[in-house]
Amino acid sequence: MKNIIVNLLSREQRFAVLEQDKLEQIVLYNESEESLVGNVYVGRIEKLVPGMDAAFVNFGRQKNGFLHKGDLLSAIGKGKETPINQLVTQGEKLLIQVIRDETEHKGARVTGIIEVSTPSFVYSYGQKHIAVSKKLADADRERWRMLAEKHREDNEGMLIRTEMNEKDEAFFIGELEQCRNVYQEWQKQLITAKSPVLLYKKNHLLSKLKDEMKFGSGSIYVDDYAFYQQLQKETTADWELKYERDKENIFSRWNIDDQLNKLYKRIVWLPNGSFLVIEEGEAMTTIDVNTGKFTGKQDKERTIAETNRLAAIEAMKQIKLRNISGIILIDFINCSNSAGQKRIVQEVAACAKRDKQTIQVIGFTELGVLQLTRKVQSGSLLQSTTSVCPTCEGLGRVESAQSAAFRLERELMQYRQSDYSQAIVEVTKDVLIWYSGENAVYKQKLEENIGLGIEFQIIEAEKPYYHIKQLN
């Protein structure tokens, strides 16, 4: 049984999925940073980059979208050798849909092959293929494939979702016609609308919530009455819907905020005293496994195997909760033998099936590090809710007091044989201690060498700091 806690009373909308009061999924949205994936725009080709087989599209965001040649509707049926400047021109308007959100350093990924979707059906003009959910039995898949082929027109692609299996042919035709009409309306707006303009905005919070409701059963607690009424139309018998409005924040009452805060920590402790160290980077994320306090009651090999098993489970949980994507490397403990590696890959693959994002487990490198990739759709929790520290500027470390003192010394040495006789320096106490030395012996020698009298003014700062305020 699950509990889904929906908190909508502030500008940041969010919901959490709990199993046995443990956080299993967190979804956050705010108006300025909500996901654009699925949104449809009339965009304009801002720049062609033939060397990358790509174009940059202005669709109304600060960063232009990246459109690969293979995602152009006009590229369908053309050879791979056809240059992009023969398919589109600079300044041209076109329909685009966002397929991956922008990140801190990259614009959104967009496509010209548009999908119109319902809970049971996906329509895409230009794809020319029919796909059926693999969750259906072979006989059902073949039946739906034949039915779709019967009603498909040229240049139409279709995806039959699992939910369609409970419907009949008349319902299918109705869904198909509805999607066709939506796409045709967008095509009309492409001709008349000024670019850039938003044509369709996906309600990601409701969509994600409905996706979550497909799996399992339980209770949904909502603190917004309007959304509660909207959900009443969507919930099934598997879910009990409850409206809650108290003075205490609903996330605090369910102890979610405390669990959420732990997702920003580098170190994650495992139940047996071992721990993970998670380092998110621009190019990849690394996860290091350490035995920590766990020495085990059995022999060394069993200790390592148990630690690696727990680490695999927790690492995959953290990847999902933190929405870590792209290249991920996990350094397990002394994992060089093939039997141990096989057990870990099996554990990781089993956990990956419980993640709705596409995960590819590549395998171990020659150095014994596990490689996997997770499909990028939006920024991680860290990227979307934090900014670079103005003190360390993203390093995660600051200059030591000793290093700052040595730097001050070198800077003051530049005023040897100058016309100045005195310097006034603002400095934190820790830097002054290193600069002056025991009994201020270094301070006195440096003043003699430089030929300056130095007056220090102690200030408070978040890190070791100095500033040469005045020279007289």
Side-chain angles (χ1 to χ4, degrees):
M1 296 285 287
K2 296 180 182 180
N3 287 321
I4 300 179
I5 316 302
V6 186
N7 176 213
L8 304 178
L9 293 185
S10 64
R11 283 178 295 173
E12 182 181 58
Q13 300 182 334
R14 53 190 188 165
F15 75 80
V17 180
L18 303 178
E19 291 191 31
Q20 298 180 342
D21 294 331
K22 298 292 184 182
L23 186 62
E24 294 294 327
Q25 176 82 352
I26 182 73
V27 177
L28 307 175
Y29 286 110
N30 65 61
E31 290 181 1
S32 61
E33 294 182 355
E34 76 174 331
S35 174
L36 304 179
V37 173
N39 288 2
V40 178
Y41 300 81
V42 173
R44 184 179 67 253
I45 302 291
E46 197 75 17
K47 183 180 179 182
L48 294 173
V49 189
M52 297 172 63
D53 271 342
F56 288 96
V57 181
N58 179 358
F59 65 107
R61 302 287 293 182
Q62 204 166 21
K63 296 176 185 174
N64 290 331
F66 179 84
L67 174 65
H68 191 267
K69 183 180 75 173
D71 292 322
L72 281 167
L73 190 61
S74 55
I76 295 174
K78 304 288 176 65
K80 291 183 178 180
E81 299 78 17
T82 306
I84 191 168
N85 51 19
Q86 290 185 17
L87 301 172
V88 288
T89 58
Q90 189 167 326
E92 180 179 339
K93 290 196 303 181
L94 74 167
L95 280 180
I96 58 105
Q97 188 169 43
V98 179
I99 55 176
R100 189 181 71 199
D101 278 319
E102 63 183 39
T103 63
E104 195 174 341
H105 301 291
K106 297 178 181 177
R109 178 77 183 266
V110 302
T111 178
I113 302 170
I114 311 299
E115 289 186 350
V116 186
S117 61
T118 73
S120 56
F121 182 71
V122 179
Y123 172 90
S124 58
Y125 185 83
Q127 290 287 66
K128 298 184 180 180
H129 78 282
I130 295 171
V132 183
S133 171
K134 293 180 180 179
K135 295 179 181 179
L136 299 183
D138 289 344
D140 289 327
R141 294 183 70 200
E142 185 60 29
R143 175 172 63 86
W144 281 111
R145 189 174 283 107
M146 292 175 64
L147 188 62
E149 189 62 54
K150 173 183 173 183
H151 295 283
R152 186 177 74 88
E153 296 178 357
D154 271 349
N155 295 319
E156 288 185 333
M158 301 178 191
L159 167 62
I160 312 297
R161 288 176 163 163
T162 308
E163 290 77 1
M164 185 66 83
N165 205 37
E166 302 171 3
K167 313 297 182 181
D168 57 17
E169 184 174 359
F171 180 87
F172 169 80
I173 293 171
E175 293 281 276
L176 175 58
E177 287 301 322
Q178 177 187 332
C179 291
R180 278 176 179 159
N181 292 338
V182 169
Y183 183 75
Q184 289 167 7
E185 180 59 31
W186 289 343
Q187 286 286 359
K188 292 176 183 176
Q189 292 183 54
L190 171 64
I191 298 170
T192 59
K194 292 183 179 180
S195 63
V197 64
L198 173 67
L199 299 184
Y200 166 75
K201 182 177 181 180
K202 186 173 181 179
N203 186 332
H204 286 276
L205 190 76
L206 180 59
S207 177
K208 288 268 188 181
L209 191 52
K210 287 164 66 175
D211 284 345
E212 196 63 47
M213 289 162 56
K214 294 176 185 177
F215 304 95
S217 59
S219 300
I220 304 173
Y221 298 83
V222 185
D223 64 0
D224 180 83
Y225 191 70
F227 193 76
Y228 166 79
Q229 290 179 308
Q230 187 177 4
L231 270 185
Q232 285 181 317
K233 304 171 186 176
E234 306 287 349
T235 49
T236 63
D238 293 328
W239 291 93
E240 182 184 11
L241 184 61
K242 299 180 180 181
Y243 169 65
E244 286 200 1
R245 179 69 185 273
D246 295 324
K247 288 183 178 180
E248 185 182 11
N249 183 277
I250 193 170
F251 264 38
S252 298
R253 189 163 66 256
W254 283 87
N255 193 34
I256 297 169
D257 281 329
D258 289 342
Q259 296 186 62
L260 183 57
N261 289 336
K262 290 179 181 178
L263 298 180
Y264 296 97
K265 297 184 181 297
R266 292 173 59 248
I267 294 177
V268 179
W269 289 96
L270 303 180
N272 66 352
S274 52
F275 62 92
L276 310 177
V277 180
I278 302 174
E279 299 279 3
E280 273 193 67
E282 177 63 25
M284 68 181 71
T285 296
T286 62
I287 302 177
D288 188 39
V289 183
N290 294 270
T291 51
K293 302 173 185 177
F294 181 53
T295 55
K297 297 180 180 179
Q298 306 293 331
D299 57 68
K300 179 182 177 182
E301 291 302 319
R302 289 190 183 183
T303 298
I304 292 173
E306 176 63 8
T307 301
N308 283 338
R309 185 186 71 82
L310 292 172
I313 295 169
E314 187 62 34
M316 298 306 291
K317 178 182 177 180
Q318 292 293 321
I319 287 167
K320 178 183 176 183
L321 283 171
R322 299 176 187 225
N323 196 28
I324 296 171
S325 303
I327 301 170
I328 303 167
L329 302 179
I330 308 178
D331 188 9
F332 290 94
I333 301 170
N334 295 344
C335 197
S336 55
N337 67 81
S338 58
Q341 290 182 355
K342 185 177 179 180
R343 285 194 296 270
I344 289 172
V345 168
Q346 289 173 342
E347 194 74 63
V348 168
C351 293
K353 290 179 180 177
R354 297 193 286 272
D355 194 324
K356 297 178 184 65
Q357 292 285 81
T358 302
I359 294 177
Q360 185 178 7
V361 183
I362 310 298
F364 280 86
T365 68
E366 293 180 356
L367 297 176
V369 178
L370 182 66
Q371 306 172 90
L372 58 145
T373 62
R374 187 170 183 265
K375 186 177 180 181
V376 179
Q377 283 196 332
S378 59
S380 69
L381 178 68
L382 192 68
Q383 290 172 336
S384 60
T385 60
T386 65
S387 56
V388 174
C389 169
T391 299
C392 71
E393 296 181 340
L395 291 175
R397 301 177 69 89
V398 296
E399 184 180 34
S400 68
Q402 182 184 26
S403 180
F406 293 160
R407 189 158 57 85
L408 172 59
E409 179 184 333
R410 289 192 294 270
E411 193 167 335
L412 287 171
M413 289 288 283
Q414 296 180 68
Y415 297 101
R416 283 181 301 176
Q417 301 175 349
S418 70
D419 295 332
Y420 298 114
S421 60
Q422 185 190 41
I424 300 174
V425 180
E426 293 179 333
V427 65
T428 53
K429 189 174 181 179
D430 50 358
V431 174
L432 180 57
I433 290 171
W434 274 103
Y435 180 89
S436 300
E438 191 173 351
N439 298 322
V441 63
Y442 292 142
K443 177 179 180 295
Q444 185 178 345
K445 285 183 179 180
L446 287 166
E447 286 184 2
E448 292 173 359
N449 289 338
I450 299 170
L452 279 176
I454 305 173
E455 178 188 334
F456 288 99
Q457 297 177 351
I458 303 296
I459 61 170
E460 297 290 332
E462 294 179 348
K463 65 174 182 175
Y465 175 82
Y466 74 83
H467 170 62
I468 300 175
K469 182 179 179 181
Q470 189 174 332
L471 289 163
N472 300 318

